[in-house]
Amino acid sequence: MAQFEEVSKKSKLHPKPVGLVLQYGTAGFRTNADHLDHVMFRMGLLAVLRSINTKATIGVMVTASHNPEEDNGVKLIDPMGEMVTPAWEVYATQLANAEQDHLITVLKDIIQKESVDMTQEAHVFVGKDTRSSSARLSEAVLDGVTALHGHSKDYGLVTTPQLHYMVCCYNTQGGYGEASVEGYYRKLSQAFIRITKHVPNRTDDQKCLLVDGANGIGALKLHEMEPYLQGELQVSLFCDGTSGKLNYQCGADFVKVQQNSPKGIDMKAGERCCSFDGDADRIVYYYNDDQGRFHLLDGDKIATLISTFLKELLTQAGLDLEIAVVQTAYANGSSTRYLEETMKLIVRCTKTGVKHLHHVAQEFDIGVYFEANGHGTVLLSKAAEEKIQQLCNDSDGERQRAATLLKNSVDLINQTVGDAISDMLLIEAILAIRGMTVQQWDAIYTDLPNRQLKVKVSDRRVIETTDAERKTVSPAGLQEAIDRLVGKHQHGRSFVRPSGTEDVVRVYSEAATQESADALAHEVSLAVYRLAGGVGGEPKPL
Ligand code: 16G
Ligand code: MG
């Protein structure tokens, strides 16, 4: 077929470095931008197949999120705006790793396995972050789409969650909103204004927020959105990309890992700040107290604020909907205890990686999911949304008011994926309604001190886990060793897992004091080093 000849010809313009092997990891391919041209071209091809296969528009986002500027990566987006299904991650890996003269064979294999009818039309949305390599790499994606005669729409510079949103809006024929960046700004900001304009006496302090844009796409897009917010939120944007380097000493990942504020930011005591990551799908909040001590409000604190708020509204609205919070093993033990024991909420734990949380959250009427690192959102079942909508016309004033507030909050949420901009607006709206300061939010519960370390081993696949990564089953003796060490520390908890994005084993610990958490993490790291084939000297901090 002429299509394949064209692919063959064009693929030579996007040659694969011989022998290079890459893996579609937890969140797509990610590595140094110089090695990705062929991957991008091929993901363009794969997106065409996936589009025909699902009879819908597919998204391809060029980004390496919180990685350094020199890296890049790509994430595939399925029709409802969710991450691509695992079977196709396998195809993505096969296609990316096929040597040049095998490319067509691998392509035809996928076509055959999935019975893709190549006479059908394909539609692909493409987006990119602000990395210097993103322009040329997204061209390579578009080239791939064209080579297989697919139609493409280039959204240019967008955040990852914005592209997820566009895909969902388009495939639901506008049912979720308008598939344009302006449509996204309008939907979110109008919902925000509908909520906050009913809050009496909001002070300037409550309206002002310091935002670290990680010198990336989130800064650019938040700046673009500001006029739509009509002064209801007054953002002071720093790390806005005008001078600093992407993700360098700033951004959500830096803040979470270092447990410190971005470099060079001037925070007054008590001032509310938040950081986005490099593609704006994560957010964390923080402030300095009067003694200049730094306080982090991570994904667990965010999930607590949101789920508590939603639960109260459900009670006020008299709606009997099942609400659950989905976390990973990284969730601070204090948050889990607070949610289960004080708030009486259902809490579920899943493996690390957004798609795992997303799927579990879908099992409930309302599923609030957050990773401790700040990636998360809220999902509502169709039935739940309809019940809320119906109640908005209820004759009982109290119930009607609660339902309307719920409806407006739902409109603020990007349900396709964690979204720093949307999460930020939801958090700001909740704080405004409750008249709550960042300190009061922080005081809901106190985090147990914790520590993360990483250990280099010769093959991290020797570590096998179970029970949502909370226990190891191999190598032999490791779990027993961890249990023994944990037993020596008050409120001790620790687990280890092979990273999905880096060639290391990650170690997490928490305990009653920081010294104790540090000691536990160190002791467990040594056990990993000893029992799992450690290499390259002592274990290092994350
Ligand atoms: C990716 C995941 C994130 C996870 C992290 C774990 C997505 C969009 N992102 O960034 O959810 O927390 O990997 O990394 O799924 P690790 O396996 O190296 O610890
Ligand atoms: Mg990200």
Side-chain angles (χ1 to χ4, degrees):
M1 253 162 100
Q3 267 167 321
F4 293 120
E5 273 164 37
E6 199 173 326
V7 170
S8 203
K9 210 164 93 202
K10 281 204 171 162
S11 75
K12 297 202 175 77
L13 302 173
H14 303 281
K16 173 183 178 297
V18 178
L20 178 68
V21 177
L22 297 169
Q23 198 76 28
Y24 194 97
T26 326
F29 293 103
R30 223 178 266 188
T31 188
N32 186 289
D34 294 342
H35 305 314
L36 280 168
D37 187 65
H38 68 292
V39 175
M40 297 293 169
F41 174 76
R42 293 164 185 213
M43 289 310 104
L45 301 176
L46 190 69
V48 168
L49 304 190
R50 183 68 182 151
S51 170
I52 298 176
N53 179 251
T54 56
K55 300 190 176 57
T57 295
I58 293 298
V60 182
M61 180 70 196
V62 176
T63 180
S65 184
H66 56 274
N67 282 38
E69 145 81 22
E70 303 72 55
D71 285 357
N72 217 322
V74 58
K75 301 180 180 179
L76 296 173
I77 305 167
D78 255 1
M80 293 315 287
E82 71 279 41
M83 288 175 192
V84 75
T85 192
W88 283 70
E89 290 185 2
V90 178
Y91 297 145
T93 302
Q94 288 168 353
L95 207 56
N97 293 328
E99 293 306 338
Q100 205 68 28
D101 46 3
H102 271 106
L103 180 60
I104 301 297
T105 317
V106 174
L107 201 60
K108 284 184 173 167
D109 242 30
I110 303 170
I111 292 171
Q112 200 214 338
K113 270 200 198 115
E114 294 291 335
S115 318
V116 182
D117 177 356
M118 293 308 290
T119 63
Q120 296 301 305
E121 282 202 0
H123 297 267
V124 181
F125 285 175
V126 181
K128 60 171 182 272
D129 72 10
T130 54
R131 287 179 159 77
S132 53
S133 59
S134 290
R136 104 183 134 72
L137 292 176
S138 78
E139 283 302 322
V141 175
L142 293 164
D143 243 16
V145 176
T146 314
L148 270 181
H149 300 182
H151 303 278
S152 58
K153 181 172 164 80
D154 184 4
Y155 275 90
L157 292 165
V158 281
T159 68
T160 297
Q162 282 178 333
L163 192 68
H164 283 256
Y165 179 89
M166 301 309 153
V167 171
C168 178
C169 287
Y170 190 79
N171 286 321
T172 53
Q173 274 122 36
Y176 195 59
E178 191 192 305
S180 71
V181 178
E182 294 73 26
Y184 168 95
Y185 294 146
R186 269 199 298 273
K187 180 177 171 187
L188 268 61
S189 50
Q190 284 170 7
F192 184 74
I193 291 165
R194 281 199 302 272
I195 297 176
T196 51
K197 78 167 183 238
H198 292 301
V199 179
N201 314 323
R202 256 177 97 215
T203 60
D204 274 354
D205 265 6
Q206 288 165 333
K207 284 190 186 176
C208 288
L209 176 68
L210 245 67
V211 182
D212 154 22
N215 289 319
I217 185 70
L220 205 73
K221 295 288 136 175
L222 184 57
H223 185 60
E224 221 170 76
M225 188 176 189
E226 268 190 276
Y228 294 81
L229 290 164
Q230 297 174 14
E232 283 299 316
L233 182 67
Q234 289 159 20
V235 168
S236 304
L237 200 53
F238 62 98
C239 300
D240 62 353
T242 46
S243 55
K245 200 170 163 185
L246 178 71
N247 295 328
Y248 182 65
Q249 299 191 328
C250 63
D253 199 60
F254 175 85
V255 171
K256 169 77 181 156
V257 172
Q258 303 298 322
Q259 310 218 3
N260 217 330
S261 49
K263 284 278 173 325
I265 139 177
D266 179 24
M267 279 162 66
K268 294 186 204 68
E271 213 172 0
R272 205 165 64 253
C273 309
C274 68
S275 287
F276 296 180
D277 77 334
D279 63 341
D281 64 355
R282 284 197 205 175
I283 185 168
V284 292
Y285 270 70
Y286 45 93
Y287 70 97
N288 278 339
D289 64 21
D290 295 338
Q291 281 85 48
R293 255 188 322 155
F294 174 82
H295 295 255
L296 178 69
L297 293 96
D298 62 2
D300 305 334
K301 285 253 153 104
I302 296 173
T304 304
L305 183 75
I306 295 176
S307 57
T308 308
F309 173 74
L310 294 177
K311 187 175 173 185
E312 281 179 17
L313 285 182
L314 287 177
T315 310
Q316 287 166 19
L319 272 170
D320 184 21
L321 294 174
E322 194 168 53
I323 173 166
V325 180
V326 187
Q327 307 184 312
T328 71
Y330 287 106
N332 195 279
S334 290
S335 74
T336 315
R337 196 166 317 124
Y338 177 81
L339 290 167
E340 283 181 332
E341 292 173 14
T342 309
M343 288 312 301
K344 310 281 181 228
L345 280 157
I346 303 167
V347 180
R348 288 285 149 82
C349 184
T350 71
K351 280 166 64 171
T352 302
V354 173
K355 56 183 170 244
H356 302 298
L357 289 102
H358 193 92
H359 283 131
V360 175
Q362 279 172 328
E363 291 170 17
F364 299 89
D365 294 321
I366 302 182
V368 180
Y369 75 81
F370 266 89
E371 289 194 305
N373 64 25
H375 186 120
T377 185
V378 184
L379 305 184
L380 286 95
S381 68
K382 235 187 152 48
E385 289 208 33
E386 279 165 13
K387 280 188 186 163
I388 293 170
Q389 179 67 55
Q390 274 165 17
L391 257 192
C392 288
N393 305 317
D394 201 81
S395 55
D396 178 312
E398 164 82 3
R399 295 177 58 157
Q400 191 266 349
R401 193 199 62 84
T404 307
L405 193 46
L406 264 172
K407 167 84 179 85
N408 286 331
S409 307
V410 173
D411 281 346
L412 254 187
I413 298 165
N414 181 351
Q415 293 189 48
T416 62
V417 78
D419 181 336
I421 292 180
S422 141
D423 289 337
M424 174 192 80
L425 292 175
L426 180 61
I427 293 164
E428 290 299 309
I430 297 174
L431 294 178
I433 289 166
R434 300 207 143 166
M436 204 183 216
T437 63
V438 69
Q439 293 89 334
Q440 288 166 332
W441 170 21
D442 192 29
I444 293 179
Y445 64 81
T446 307
D447 274 324
L448 278 171
N450 54 87
R451 180 62 63 206
Q452 293 191 46
L453 296 175
K454 54 185 177 183
V455 186
K456 236 176 148 34
V457 297
S458 57
D459 180 2
R460 71 191 197 279
R461 287 171 302 184
V462 300
I463 306 267
E464 284 174 43
T465 65
T466 181
D467 189 21
E469 302 178 323
R470 289 175 290 193
K471 295 250 173 306
T472 54
V473 288
S474 99
L478 180 57
Q479 188 56 46
E480 290 74 7
I482 296 174
D483 290 342
R484 223 172 17 251
L485 296 167
V486 164
K488 296 198 305 190
H489 298 268
Q490 202 196 349
H491 296 309
R493 183 170 74 90
S494 179
F495 66 91
V496 309
R497 53 176 283 277
S499 157
T501 64
E502 224 185 308
D503 191 13
V504 294
V505 176
R506 298 208 192 281
V507 174
Y508 175 89
S509 78
E510 63 186 31
T513 65
Q514 190 63 56
E515 296 68 41
S516 194
D518 290 352
L520 179 56
H522 187 70
E523 290 154 12
V524 170
S525 299
L526 291 176
V528 171
Y529 194 84
R530 199 162 37 82
L531 295 165
V535 291
E538 284 273 288
K540 291 191 192 60
L542 193 80

